Amino acid sequence: MRTVDLNEAAVRDLNQALHDQSDECTERDWQVLNPKGAHNLACGLDQNLSVEIQGHAGYFCAGMNKKATVTIEGNVGQGVAENMMSGVVRVKGNASQAAGATAHGGLLVIEGDAGARCGISLKGADIVVKGNVGHMSCFMAQAGSLVVCGDAGDALGDSLYEVHIYVKGEVKSLGADCVKKEMRPEHLEELTELLNRAGIDEDPAAFTRYGSARQLYNFKVDNAAAY
């Protein structure tokens, strides 16, 4: 395992060393010490690396991730795993707002709580949150899944498209065009797989599914005055 101590190295040096592995991978296992809330850690990775960040991270940690497995042993700031394409990002603590924003693929696991707008404009990734999520989570989410083992805040799934949302706890309110839906066998199967991948022991039958009512897909002349 290669260790980088951010008391001695700059974030730019860390990221450059990680990016160099995409051309010729000589070190797959990395450990980052003393992150101290630094921003933009382990961004833009494009190789099957394992990166362990031993502490709290700031904004956009593991953003644009592709192939890599990034584990944060602490809390993260805004936009963790933003625009992720593939791989796995695991947060052992809490995540601030916009976790997994616009993510196209891969798996984001948050073992604590997530703030507002978790999964905003989600485009195909899977997000599993062991705790609660804040308001406007999955706003304009297009594809993928959000699993919440705790509670959800106001306006869950506002203006969503075809994302699948599963919540075990209470939902403060649903956003525009988001409705409660039937949990069919294929959804129980999907949820079971997501929980297993995330390493979270929960009963899939205890969750409620939410999704789009599909009333915002087309322009309706009766609503013209609202535009």
Side-chain angles (χ1 to χ4, degrees), residues 41-168:
L41 295 175
C43 288
L45 303 188
D46 190 12
Q47 182 56 274
N48 185 22
L49 305 178
S50 175
V51 182
E52 296 180 3
I53 299 173
Q54 299 292 319
H56 305 309
Y59 295 167
F60 301 111
C61 181
M64 301 178 290
N65 186 59
K66 188 177 180 182
K67 302 179 184 177
T69 297
V70 181
T71 303
I72 302 98
E73 299 279 351
N75 303 324
V76 292
Q78 177 177 321
V80 63
E82 183 267 345
N83 206 39
M84 175 167 64
M85 304 304 288
S86 62
V88 178
V89 176
R90 181 178 293 271
V91 180
K92 293 297 187 79
N94 300 319
S96 186
Q97 62 184 353
T102 75
H104 289 251
L107 174 66
L108 169 62
V109 180
I110 299 168
E111 296 188 1
D113 298 326
R117 301 176 181 85
C118 179
I120 184 173
S121 195
L122 191 67
K123 291 180 171 64
D126 296 314
I127 303 175
V128 181
V129 181
K130 193 172 183 179
N132 307 318
V133 297
H135 65 270
M136 297 290 286
S137 289
C138 274
F139 173 56
M140 293 190 69
Q142 297 161 40
S145 301
L146 171 66
V147 178
V148 183
C149 299
D151 301 329
D154 275 319
L156 176 69
D158 190 87
S159 304
L160 80 169
Y161 291 81
E162 292 303 311
V163 70
H164 293 175
I165 301 176
Y166 303 98
V167 182
K168 181 181 180 183

Side-chain angles (χ1 to χ4, degrees), residues 1-6 8-9 14 27 29-33:
M1 177 179 288
R2 181 169 171 182
T3 300
V4 178
D5 189 340
L6 291 181
E8 302 171 358
L14 166 67
E27 300 276 357
D29 297 319
W30 294 69
Q31 185 180 58
V32 181
L33 304 179

Side-chain angles (χ1 to χ4, degrees), residues 8 12 36 41 182 203 208:
E8 302 171 358
R12 179 183 291 271
K36 297 180 180 178
L41 295 175
E182 177 188 5
D203 178 9
T208 301

